[in-house]
Amino acid sequence: MNAEIINVGTELLMGDVVNTNATFIAKHLQDYGINNYFQTVIGDNPARLEAQIKQSLSRSDMIIITGGLGPTYDDLTKEIVAQALNLEMVMDLASKERIESYFKKSHRAMPHNNLKQAMIPDGSRALDNNYGTAPGVLIEQNDKTVILLPGPPRELKPMFLNAIIPFLAEKRDFMIVSDRVYIQGIGESHIEEALSSLMIESTNPTIAPYLHENGVMLRVSARARSQEEGHALNQNAVNVILETFPDNIMGVNIGSLEEELVLELTKRNQTIATAESCTGGLLAKRITDVNGSSAIFNYGAVTYSNTMKTQVLGVDSSLFDSVGAVSKEVAEAMALGVKKLANAHYGIGITGIAGPTGGTVEKPVGTVYIALATTAGCVTEKYMFGHRHLDRESVRYAASQAALALIHKHLK
Amino acid sequence: MNAEIINVGTELLMGDVVNTNATFIAKHLQDYGINNYFQTVIGDNPARLEAQIKQSLSRSDMIIITGGLGPTYDDLTKEIVAQALNLEMVMDLASKERIESYFKKSHRAMPHNNLKQAMIPDGSRALDNNYGTAPGVLIEQNDKTVILLPGPPRELKPMFLNAIIPFLAEKRDFMIVSDRVYIQGIGESHIEEALSSLMIESTNPTIAPYLHENGVMLRVSARARSQEEGHALNQNAVNVILETFPDNIMGVNIGSLEEELVLELTKRNQTIATAESCTGGLLAKRITDVNGSSAIFNYGAVTYSNTMKTQVLGVDSSLFDSVGAVSKEVAEAMALGVKKLANAHYGIGITGIAGPTGGTVEKPVGTVYIALATTAGCVTEKYMFGHRHLDRESVRYAASQAALALIHKHLK
């Protein structure tokens, strides 16, 4: 089955909003073995939208359309879809009641144009919206399925999980089962040279390389009728990859570095504490992104000023004059200080220049020192992110990533 | 001039990667007054890619294509574009030299298939890539422009800024000048009812409402030949909006709440310190995202455990038994504690349950207390984010946003 995604929204065309809805939907289509060949972003323009819907109906079995279900005059998705499919618009009484009670609950008068949201194409099914007023719509007509979802991710995601996932589960005739092999220290083209016959000849599973923040990820994907069958189909190709690059394998099907960290430290019953300067809390944020991180993380210090580095972490203040705040010595003192303060098994210290200002000739923007304190002592690495990363945001992210990689390497 | 964006990449269709390239490019097109009516994501499939390029050439003046310029056999964008435009592929010697020296500099042997990256369509211009091997390509043929850019954002962004922006600046005949009016406390449909005649009748500027994390943003956009002319054209509509909702205006053309915070505290020569539990460093991270934040931010504590709340911030440990860690009292003690510790003008304390686990009947997932300590005392607010937000990530983001809004309100 082929599905395509159409995201309706001028804010996407203007670059105001990142299209996370397409990613969210595509990921689930992939899990259910439904091919996704096209994603299109288009504005609230009736002629272009209708032409797009007709083209999509001509080439895909399922169209998932997001956005344009709001109450305002430029929200036209439902009406255009109904027109393209020759369906009348009718009032859905359950949706009308739900919208009226939504306003009643929040003690606000319902503007008349919100009633438009209760209109749906005749013969379609309204999908309840528990986080907003606009209902979703599911239309099945002549072997084609058209699904309309609200644009705000907060409304779209729960509706997709509640109403669309069970529908997809019924529709699928097979699933795509993937195994991911993570490789570091070899370039994409070397990997392809070494694996070219496997990659070209194998059709089920297929093998494809992707650049990944830590190197290259090879995705081995089989079409199968069950998870078990899929992994069995993948096994031979995965083995060939593991044998071809024995020294460069990071892992198979591993999660993000922060997920791996929480998993591994939980297993060991150990804790980590962080002391951040240039990353400003990003490392602590990434670790605590993981549910269950409270078992391994008690404390993170964001010591942005020198005074706070000394006062909170006990960094010797003479270091700021002698070697500077961005130095191996200060990173070490931060790591050791926070480890002691939090009584943790590991302490991480990060100090550097995120930019765009603050760089010097000796220490240009992107210079970062990261120290890892363990019971056995301290290791410190110096990184120069400036020549590979353009802006403050990516230098900070790269530094947090390097810190996670440093502890990951140590735990291996 | 109409431009469209085509992003080539199976990883986008599979939902592995969020399409930030489209957002980045769209934002710049908008700034240069170039209409963007379509964004399409498509895989490395020759037939579908060629059909898409031909359709795009038939309806748009400019096509910007990202991805598929890598060295591996499935990277086909350049070849397909050349075929669609009837152009031969030729070796670009400068790119060949650049790629060879790229490998020499990193002391690696160049795999033969990297040479493919130096091939470009005859008559086109190669665009230097300072962060990777693949050159970009700029093709001008029969009033059509086709621009090919590498997929990795780290390579695409600098190439776009260096080579494409000057090209767009030459091409534009007018620009779009926008003024953004931020409104809180009124729904989108009420705003439209009140402004309907203005919104429908005005064509230059146009007025369009967007949902925004703090309420509704009205974008007033004029086509003009200069910034000054644009703002002058917008002025009347902006005034009507300001007069229609005198009590609900958050501001005109304001930045993010964290940018506003850094701006305002810098102006006042004041500092803020943060003490976070459930947000785990996200608030500190957002404040320090802003270049120049070191003038107003010295210290943030991520006290995830009760022990660290007491040890670092001086929270009375008897509170954990009497009212619990997620309580007004603990939020206040955290805010006052961190304010004192960092000797700051403001202290923020956040404690809550981000989920998905840890909720109880009295304190369900999404319950968050946020306290703001000032020289005049402490204000604390209780928030219930659970019914509006689905997951850990959005509860945490909503809490950080509420904390910024709380201090924003106080500073007004």
Side-chain angles (χ1 to χ4, degrees):
Chain A
M1 179 182 287
N2 298 338
E4 65 179 275
I5 302 171
I6 302 175
N7 304 105
V8 182
T10 310
E11 67 276 24
L12 294 165
L13 291 178
M14 287 191 166
D16 282 338
V17 177
V18 178
N19 192 359
T20 54
N21 284 342
T23 313
F24 175 83
I25 295 169
K27 206 171 190 62
H28 285 288
L29 291 177
Q30 168 72 5
D31 288 344
Y32 284 87
I34 296 169
N35 294 317
N36 173 220
Y37 292 146
F38 297 95
Q39 296 169 2
T40 308
V41 173
I42 195 166
D44 302 290
N45 174 288
R48 281 192 288 272
L49 185 52
E50 187 170 2
Q52 182 61 51
I53 288 167
K54 286 184 169 162
Q55 182 182 32
S56 300
L57 280 168
S58 74
R59 67 188 178 189
S60 300
D61 308 311
M62 182 186 290
I63 312 179
I64 301 179
I65 309 178
T66 73
L69 303 184
T72 65
Y73 73 94
D74 61 348
D75 291 306
L76 295 164
T77 303
K78 266 186 315 198
E79 291 75 6
I80 304 282
V81 166
Q83 196 172 308
L85 294 170
N86 282 316
L87 297 172
E88 296 289 313
M89 294 294 283
V90 296
M91 175 71 72
D92 180 61
L93 292 177
S95 295
K96 177 170 177 278
E97 264 175 46
R98 194 182 47 71
I99 295 169
E100 285 168 346
S101 92
Y102 181 96
F103 279 93
K104 229 171 260 163
K105 254 192 272 173
S106 53
H107 305 288
R108 293 187 291 154
M110 183 180 77
H112 183 71
N113 50 10
N114 271 97
L115 269 189
K116 161 168 142 38
Q117 297 191 294
M119 303 290 290
I120 65 173
D122 198 12
S124 67
R125 185 178 129 205
L127 310 174
D128 273 359
N129 186 338
N130 299 321
Y131 296 83
T133 51
V137 179
L138 175 66
I139 309 168
E140 292 188 273
Q141 195 193 51
N142 308 332
D143 295 337
K144 300 283 179 183
T145 303
V146 181
I147 295 170
L148 309 185
L149 300 170
R154 213 183 59 213
E155 302 177 25
L156 178 144
K157 285 184 184 182
M159 189 184 288
F160 195 92
L161 297 175
N162 292 336
I164 308 305
I165 290 285
F167 178 78
L168 297 182
E170 262 179 45
K171 286 274 160 186
R172 70 157 165 222
D173 32 28
F174 62 87
M175 57 174 72
I176 301 283
V177 182
S178 293
D179 288 291
R180 294 165 285 115
V181 186
Y182 291 85
I183 299 176
Q184 61 188 355
I186 325 180
E188 195 182 0
S189 25
H190 272 115
I191 291 173
E192 188 186 276
E193 280 196 343
L195 294 176
S196 63
S197 63
L198 178 72
M199 287 172 70
I200 291 168
E201 283 159 24
S202 183
T203 55
N204 194 26
T206 57
I207 298 108
Y210 299 95
L211 283 183
H212 190 261
E213 53 187 347
N214 303 309
V216 175
M217 183 263 278
L218 283 167
R219 181 199 285 274
V220 181
S221 305
R223 290 182 175 220
R225 268 155 304 178
S226 69
Q227 288 285 335
E228 294 69 35
E229 190 194 18
H231 290 300
L233 282 164
N234 290 340
Q235 197 55 59
N236 178 51
V238 170
N239 289 343
V240 171
I241 296 167
L242 297 181
E243 286 156 18
T244 309
F245 311 106
D247 302 328
N248 301 82
I249 302 295
M250 291 182 67
V252 180
N253 295 331
I254 53 178
S256 66
L257 288 177
E258 53 267 39
E259 286 166 349
E260 292 294 309
L261 176 67
V262 172
L263 212 65
E264 181 62 29
L265 291 187
T266 304
K267 210 185 295 170
R268 295 177 182 220
N269 204 17
Q270 293 184 327
T271 60
I272 188 167
T274 56
E276 303 178 64
S277 188
C278 64
T279 46
L282 175 57
L283 179 60
K285 182 256 175 203
R286 288 185 63 184
I287 294 172
T288 60
D289 275 342
V290 182
N291 185 30
S293 51
S294 59
I296 64 107
F297 182 83
N298 296 321
Y299 178 61
V302 183
T303 49
Y304 226 48
S305 67
N306 290 348
T307 309
M308 296 309 295
K309 286 182 184 74
T310 299
Q311 187 184 320
V312 174
L313 302 172
V315 175
D316 178 352
S317 62
S318 72
L319 289 175
F320 303 126
D321 284 333
S322 60
V323 290
V326 177
S327 61
K328 178 173 184 289
E329 290 79 0
V330 169
E332 275 185 18
M334 290 170 70
L336 290 165
V338 80
K339 175 180 181 302
K340 190 175 164 199
L341 179 62
N343 194 22
H345 298 82
Y346 303 96
I348 287 264
I350 308 180
T351 178
I353 300 153
T357 54
T360 63
V361 176
E362 299 90 53
K363 291 175 187 170
V365 166
T367 306
V368 179
Y369 290 87
I370 304 179
L372 170 65
T374 71
T375 43
C378 210
V379 288
T380 309
E381 300 276 353
K382 180 185 181 179
Y383 304 84
M384 305 293 277
F385 295 119
H387 62 295
R388 300 266 294 170
H389 294 277
L390 188 68
D391 52 24
R392 182 178 177 85
E393 188 188 343
S394 36
V395 168
R396 278 157 55 97
Y397 188 81
S400 73
Q401 188 68 5
L404 289 169
L406 186 64
I407 168 91
H408 187 79
K409 203 169 113 189
H410 178 85
L411 291 175
K412 244 182 126 168
Chain B
M1 180 184 287
N2 298 337
E4 65 180 274
I5 302 170
I6 302 175
N7 304 105
V8 182
T10 310
E11 67 277 23
L12 295 165
L13 291 178
M14 287 191 166
D16 282 338
V17 177
V18 178
N19 192 0
T20 54
N21 285 343
T23 313
F24 175 82
I25 295 169
K27 204 169 190 61
H28 286 287
L29 291 177
Q30 167 71 8
D31 288 344
Y32 284 88
I34 296 169
N35 294 316
N36 173 219
Y37 292 146
F38 298 97
Q39 296 168 3
T40 308
V41 174
I42 193 166
D44 303 289
N45 173 285
R48 281 192 289 274
L49 185 52
E50 187 171 1
Q52 181 61 52
I53 288 167
K54 285 184 170 162
Q55 182 182 35
S56 300
L57 281 168
S58 75
R59 67 188 179 191
S60 299
D61 308 310
M62 182 187 289
I63 312 179
I64 301 178
I65 309 178
T66 74
L69 303 184
T72 66
Y73 72 94
D74 61 348
D75 291 306
L76 295 165
T77 303
K78 266 186 315 196
E79 292 75 4
I80 304 283
V81 166
Q83 196 173 308
L85 294 171
N86 282 316
L87 297 173
E88 297 287 314
M89 293 295 282
V90 295
M91 176 71 73
D92 181 62
L93 291 176
S95 295
K96 177 168 176 276
E97 264 176 46
R98 195 181 46 72
I99 294 169
E100 286 168 346
S101 93
Y102 181 95
F103 278 93
K104 229 170 260 164
K105 254 192 271 174
S106 53
H107 306 289
R108 294 186 291 154
M110 184 181 77
H112 183 71
N113 50 10
N114 272 97
L115 269 190
K116 161 166 140 40
Q117 296 191 295
M119 303 291 289
I120 64 172
D122 198 11
S124 68
R125 186 178 128 204
L127 309 175
D128 273 359
N129 186 339
N130 299 321
Y131 296 84
T133 51
V137 179
L138 175 65
I139 308 169
E140 293 188 273
Q141 195 194 49
N142 308 331
D143 295 337
K144 299 283 179 183
T145 302
V146 181
I147 295 170
L148 309 185
L149 299 170
R154 212 183 59 211
E155 302 177 24
L156 178 143
K157 284 183 184 182
M159 189 184 289
F160 194 92
L161 298 175
N162 291 337
I164 308 305
I165 289 285
F167 179 79
L168 297 182
E170 261 179 46
K171 286 273 162 188
R172 70 158 165 223
D173 32 28
F174 62 88
M175 56 175 72
I176 302 286
V177 181
S178 294
D179 288 290
R180 295 165 284 116
V181 186
Y182 292 85
I183 299 176
Q184 61 187 354
I186 325 180
E188 196 182 0
S189 26
H190 272 116
I191 290 173
E192 188 186 276
E193 280 195 343
L195 292 177
S196 63
S197 63
L198 178 72
M199 287 171 71
I200 291 168
E201 284 159 25
S202 183
T203 55
N204 194 27
T206 58
I207 298 108
Y210 299 96
L211 284 183
H212 190 261
E213 53 188 346
N214 302 308
V216 174
M217 184 261 279
L218 282 166
R219 181 199 285 275
V220 181
S221 304
R223 291 181 175 218
R225 268 155 304 177
S226 69
Q227 289 286 334
E228 295 69 36
E229 190 194 18
H231 290 300
L233 283 165
N234 289 340
Q235 197 54 58
N236 179 51
V238 170
N239 289 342
V240 171
I241 297 166
L242 297 180
E243 286 156 19
T244 309
F245 310 105
D247 301 328
N248 300 82
I249 303 295
M250 289 182 69
V252 180
N253 296 330
I254 53 179
S256 66
L257 288 177
E258 52 268 40
E259 285 166 349
E260 291 295 308
L261 176 68
V262 172
L263 210 65
E264 182 62 29
L265 291 186
T266 304
K267 210 185 297 169
R268 296 178 182 219
N269 203 17
Q270 292 182 328
T271 60
I272 188 167
T274 56
E276 303 178 64
S277 188
C278 63
T279 45
L282 175 57
L283 179 60
K285 183 256 176 203
R286 288 184 61 183
I287 294 171
T288 60
D289 275 342
V290 183
N291 185 30
S293 51
S294 59
I296 64 105
F297 182 83
N298 295 322
Y299 178 61
V302 184
T303 49
Y304 227 47
S305 68
N306 290 348
T307 310
M308 295 309 293
K309 287 181 184 75
T310 299
Q311 187 184 319
V312 173
L313 302 171
V315 175
D316 178 353
S317 62
S318 71
L319 288 175
F320 302 127
D321 285 332
S322 60
V323 290
V326 177
S327 61
K328 179 173 184 288
E329 290 79 0
V330 169
E332 274 185 18
M334 289 171 70
L336 290 165
V338 81
K339 176 180 180 302
K340 189 173 165 198
L341 178 62
N343 193 23
H345 298 83
Y346 304 96
I348 288 263
I350 307 180
T351 179
I353 301 154
T357 54
T360 63
V361 175
E362 299 90 52
K363 292 175 186 171
V365 166
T367 307
V368 179
Y369 290 87
I370 304 180
L372 170 66
T374 71
T375 42
C378 211
V379 288
T380 309
E381 299 277 352
K382 179 183 181 179
Y383 303 84
M384 304 293 278
F385 294 118
H387 63 295
R388 299 266 295 170
H389 294 277
L390 188 67
D391 52 25
R392 180 177 178 86
E393 188 188 344
S394 36
V395 168
R396 278 157 55 98
Y397 188 81
S400 73
Q401 188 68 7
L404 290 168
L406 187 63
I407 168 89
H408 187 79
K409 202 169 113 189
H410 178 84
L411 291 174
K412 243 181 128 169

